Amino acid sequence: MVMPPSTGRQEAEAVAHSGPAERYDRVVRLAQAIFGAPIAALNLIGNDSQFTVASVGFPKGEMPAEDSVCQITVQQDQVLEVRDLRDDERFAAIPAVTGPPRVRFYAGVPVRGQSGQNIGALCILDLAPRTLGRQQREMLADLGALLEHELAVQEEMDLAGQVQQLMLPTSAPDIAGVEVAGRVQPAREAGGDYFDWFVVNDPDGAGKRLQVVLGDVMGKGLAASLIASEVRAVLRGHSRYTDVGDAVARTSTTTRHDLEANNRFSTLWVGRLDPITGALDYVDAGHGLAIIASQRGYRRLYQEYMPLGMPIEDTWNRASDVLAEDEVLVVVSDGVFDVLDDSFEEVEARLHAIQDPGLSCREIVDRIVAFAVSHAATDDVTALAVRRVARAGPDATSQEPAPATT
Amino acid sequence: MDFEEVDKGTHVVLAPEGKFNLVAAPPLKARIDDLVAAGKARLVVDLHEVDFIDSSGLGALIGGLKAARQQGGDLRIAAPGDQVRAVLKLTNLDRILAPYATVEEALHDW
């Protein structure tokens, strides 16, 4: 029997594809041990498939929904118990009953998702017919509720990660003569790293500038991402009205309470580029990881200012450089620097990977992020690349949504 | 990560080891907060056994520094390795968390 698509089935598909599900294994192992059954599993019922995302005694993976017992369980709101599957015409012909592992007994409790609809079931299976007592049925229901909670926490985290992804710029900035790309790979669902770009009018009235930002809030996960969102928004606001140095100083003042109250600090690297002349104003608030590279070599764009959120007052004033037409500005987070042993000698040794002038900014950030991830980066990993071009085409920008886990 | 703690009367020396990161930083920070609350606000964090620090580790040190100074004390760091020095320098945090070569040097005016 194939069910029509429903919100619950869509949600089950999303959860099944959202990455590793180790957090559910514990409850499934508990169920298996409590009931002394050879098989216990958390099965999610998607559009056409059953996804076994956590299990003991049964392989994880995907199978047709019509061969599943749990697809019946999700259509009800209480425990489904079948003493002998061979005696039940709904199940007597399914492969797991007629062939290995030749299961006989089934008990499953439906598990609700965030949508309020059932998305799967926690089930136990035995190779001999049996029955559960009233207490055992209640216990199975309790374990199902425990899994519902785990699923809710995970979905909440995934949603937070999506919100953060959607705050990243995705379209080319409305300014001619520049190519820009950025990419974030958070260590968890959400994180303290972000990049940003937007067009501002130069406060001196001299025309449009592209402002690029890479920020890193201390720590990882949801808490760091909340602070990162605030710093991002405040800096965007202040940047409209003043130069980059002043914008960072005002951002520090505005966010000081929230950073201090949460014992967090944020590094920031902020650049403002005139694509016509290449004039680049920048502020480095304890970030230290911006370079201008070309085939001729590289130079660092750093200052001795502290991050935002330190217990002493600092000032932040802009410095200036010029981005030549054959150069690329690259800013990364410390997650990248860590896999380079926190050493600029290593940066220099790896520089050739991004020096080819034929590489697009997108290829450069993809290479950097892929390199960090393949070298087992444990932190959030972020890269931003900017270069001047004769004319910005429709493909001149990119921001690739990255999965929460790799 | 475990850390050694030695109470010298005038000051307390804390010595974390290994990776000083998101896992290791909160317990050390919690211990610093407890020590400061108990009136022991002169602290030395001996980093010679730490081979890696990340932003969470730096956050614990800065948070500890803040707590100690609010109680009229100080938190000083001693004997950081190359990676710790590199990260302190990169973030310019060495401006408020100046590393001392040894625990003895960190104590010079206590």
Side-chain angles (χ1 to χ4, degrees), chain A residues 3-337:
Chain A
M3 295 295 297
S6 68
T7 308
R9 288 184 170 236
Q10 301 288 358
E11 191 182 347
E13 292 271 342
V15 174
H17 293 110
S18 76
E22 281 111 17
R23 61 187 307 152
Y24 315 127
D25 282 343
R26 217 171 301 162
V27 180
V28 170
R29 281 201 302 271
L30 210 53
Q32 190 263 340
I34 288 170
F35 291 96
I39 297 169
L42 171 62
N43 294 323
L44 302 179
I45 307 299
N47 292 327
D48 305 304
S49 299
Q50 165 174 293
F51 302 94
T52 301
V53 295
S55 61
V56 183
F58 192 79
K60 291 179 191 178
E62 185 176 347
M63 63 182 249
E66 68 247 35
D67 293 339
S68 137
V69 184
C70 288
Q71 61 123 347
I72 302 297
T73 313
V74 297
Q75 295 175 46
Q76 56 183 58
D77 284 324
Q78 61 279 2
V79 171
L80 172 67
E81 183 181 348
V82 182
R83 183 183 171 278
D84 191 344
L85 293 163
R86 288 187 193 174
D87 294 343
D88 190 317
E89 62 181 14
R90 293 174 294 178
F91 310 119
I94 67 174
V97 176
T98 58
R102 299 184 195 286
V103 293
R104 303 287 293 274
F105 168 76
Y106 172 96
V109 59
V111 172
R112 256 198 314 266
Q114 294 289 83
S115 62
Q117 297 186 5
N118 293 334
I119 61 169
L122 169 66
C123 67
I124 49 171
L125 294 152
D126 210 334
L127 305 183
R130 63 189 270 192
T131 51
L132 297 184
R134 186 179 58 84
Q135 272 190 323
Q136 283 181 308
R137 290 172 73 100
E138 283 172 10
M139 194 165 288
L140 186 61
D142 284 347
L143 290 170
L146 207 55
L147 269 177
E148 269 176 18
H149 178 71
E150 290 285 322
L151 280 160
V153 170
Q154 186 60 49
E155 283 192 77
E156 204 61 36
M157 291 296 298
D158 290 342
L159 281 173
Q162 283 171 31
V163 169
Q164 198 176 28
Q165 278 287 343
L166 291 170
M167 285 185 181
L168 297 172
T170 51
S171 56
D174 183 20
I175 187 169
V178 67
E179 179 199 356
V180 57
R183 184 162 173 181
V184 180
Q185 182 81 47
R188 298 182 179 178
E189 291 82 354
D193 274 18
Y194 73 95
F195 65 87
D196 200 7
W197 67 66
F198 46 88
V199 176
V200 292
N201 286 309
D202 186 84
D204 304 332
K208 282 181 166 185
R209 302 282 183 270
L210 176 69
Q211 184 159 324
V212 295
V213 181
L214 198 149
D216 182 359
V217 173
M218 176 215 117
K220 305 189 212 355
L222 196 50
S225 79
L226 288 170
I227 302 286
S229 295
E230 171 173 342
V231 175
R232 168 190 173 276
V234 170
L235 179 60
R236 272 195 168 217
H238 287 308
S239 295
R240 289 177 171 276
Y241 308 107
T242 185
D243 72 76
V244 282
D246 195 39
V248 169
R250 291 185 193 197
T251 300
S252 170
T253 304
T254 309
T255 59
R256 172 166 296 279
H257 169 269
D258 294 350
L259 286 166
E260 287 201 347
N262 289 287
N263 253 315
R264 301 264 169 183
F265 62 82
S266 171
T267 70
L268 274 180
W269 196 93
V270 185
R272 193 176 282 185
L273 174 71
D274 179 347
I276 298 166
T277 64
L280 176 67
D281 288 348
Y282 67 92
V283 173
D284 176 19
H287 191 74
L289 296 171
I291 61 167
I292 286 181
S294 71
Q295 287 188 300
R296 301 189 299 278
Y298 83 102
R299 62 185 181 278
R300 287 181 65 193
L301 302 185
Y302 74 99
Q303 294 177 292
E304 301 207 326
Y305 298 125
M306 288 206 286
L308 277 57
M310 285 297 122
I312 63 166
E313 294 284 338
D314 205 351
T315 56
W316 291 270
N317 295 303
R318 63 186 156 156
S320 297
D321 204 305
V322 175
L323 184 68
E325 283 176 336
D326 66 337
E327 292 178 325
V328 58
L329 167 67
V330 177
V331 195
V332 300
S333 65
D334 60 352
V336 176
F337 204 47

Side-chain angles (χ1 to χ4, degrees), chain A residues 188 218 303-305 314 342, chain B residues 22 55 83 92 95-96:
Chain A
R188 298 182 179 178
M218 176 215 117
Q303 294 177 292
E304 301 207 326
Y305 298 125
D314 205 351
D342 297 298
Chain B
L22 190 64
S55 67
Q83 192 270 344
N92 300 321
R95 284 176 49 199
I96 54 166

Side-chain angles (χ1 to χ4, degrees), chain A residues 376-404:
Chain A
T378 53
D379 200 354
D380 301 338
V381 166
T382 305
L384 177 72
V386 187
R387 79 153 51 108
R388 295 162 64 199
V389 290
R391 183 171 58 84
D395 295 329
T397 178
S398 62
Q399 175 274 308
E400 188 157 308

Side-chain angles (χ1 to χ4, degrees), chain B residues 10-11 19 25 30 32 36-37 66 71 74 81-82 86 93 106 108:
Chain B
T10 53
H11 63 273
K19 292 192 190 307
I32 289 172
V36 170
K66 207 160 76 178
Q71 292 304 312
D74 201 3
D82 289 345
L93 293 183
H108 63 95

